Amino acid sequence: MKTLRWRQLFGDQRPLIGVVHLPPLPGAPGWGGDMDAVEAWALADARAYASGGAAAVLVENFGDHPFFPHQAPPETVAAMGRIATAVVRAVPLPVGINVLRNDGAAAMAVAVASGARFIRVNVLSGAMVTDQGLIQGCAAQLLRQRRLLAADDVAVLADVLVKHALPLTPLPVGIAVQDTLERGGADGVIVSGDSTGTPVDPEILHQARHAAKGAPVLIGSGFGPATADHLGPLCDGVIVASALKRDGQLCNPVDPQRVAQLQGRFHP
């Protein structure tokens, strides 16, 4: 049975969640020095998702690479708080927060301060070897923080065998899903390909849904016009960015027409 938090957010619908890829924030190597421009970019993308029919948006500090493996610095958290608050006020959709690479505590804090409704955590349970080094699960601290902040209505969506990473030892996706949901306390899991824009293997998706026993399983990469027909029926929601940008280019703004077209393919 799907979790109560998920149902409070999306009911029985299978949401298309659009990612707002933020330009570099203060302190990042690529920071451009203009927070007003960052906010304008975020608001334009969020409104494009909303006008195209997306069910939610996910605000992410995508431009801040190279990422810290665990705790993001205060300037990043402060900037995310400002942008998230503006997005929450601007669009009539549930807003999510992802603080890369794995600062679930910061994401939860930003969600509480801004009014966002859910967060994404790359490694909630287990341990993964990544380009940032070894990243370990943060479930114990994060779920206690949620209770401490009286934020029980903020849903936690967690990646399983997250992209751009490998487990320390071979780990069947079914076991990873069960651990993330049952022992890690996730409200839903996200399954991706190996990297940004890479489609998930349908067999992996089947295994994940079987192990989830009715809990939400979302696709986290590679969902677009070329994959919608055969992957769409196998999931409970999708998180999309690249396919919804102008000309399909990751660096471009969101194209509301592309959003509407993909939404139509996902919900024919």
Side-chain angles (χ1 to χ4, degrees), residues 9 40 43 63 65 70 80 82 84 107 111 117-118 130 133 135 141 155 169 199 203 210 231 247 251:
L9 280 173
L43 292 177
H65 52 81
H70 301 293
M80 289 286 288
R82 169 178 167 175
R117 301 287 306 283
F118 65 98
T130 75
I135 296 181
Q141 298 89 347
T169 59
E203 178 58 29
H210 178 74
L231 291 181
D247 301 323
C251 61

Side-chain angles (χ1 to χ4, degrees), residues 67-152:
F67 303 113
F68 292 93
H70 301 293
Q71 186 174 3
E75 57 269 23
T76 300
V77 182
M80 289 286 288
R82 169 178 167 175
I83 299 302
T85 299
V87 171
V88 167
R89 290 173 175 170
V91 296
L93 302 174
V95 175
I97 307 295
N98 186 18
V99 180
L100 297 166
R101 178 76 197 262
N102 202 55
D103 199 340
M108 182 63 69
V110 170
V112 171
S114 66
R117 301 287 306 283
F118 65 98
I119 68 171
R120 179 179 184 175
V121 181
N122 283 180
V123 185
L124 182 71
S125 178
M128 300 291 287
V129 178
T130 75
D131 52 310
Q132 293 83 30
L134 179 65
I135 296 181
Q136 300 187 57
C138 59
Q141 298 89 347
L142 178 62
L143 296 193
R144 285 167 173 80
Q145 178 198 18
R146 179 168 66 182
R147 177 56 59 86
L148 180 66
L149 295 176
D152 285 344

Side-chain angles (χ1 to χ4, degrees), residues 204-255:
I204 295 295
L205 199 53
H206 278 296
Q207 293 175 26
R209 292 198 78 187
H210 178 74
K213 300 178 182 178
V217 176
L218 289 80
I219 292 174
S221 72
F223 190 84
T227 60
D229 293 342
H230 68 278
L231 291 181
L234 305 179
C235 70
D236 299 295
V238 295
I239 298 175
V240 194
S242 306
L244 303 180
K245 302 295 186 74
R246 187 182 303 157
D247 301 323
Q249 298 298 311
L250 190 60
C251 61
N252 285 343
V254 172
D255 183 342

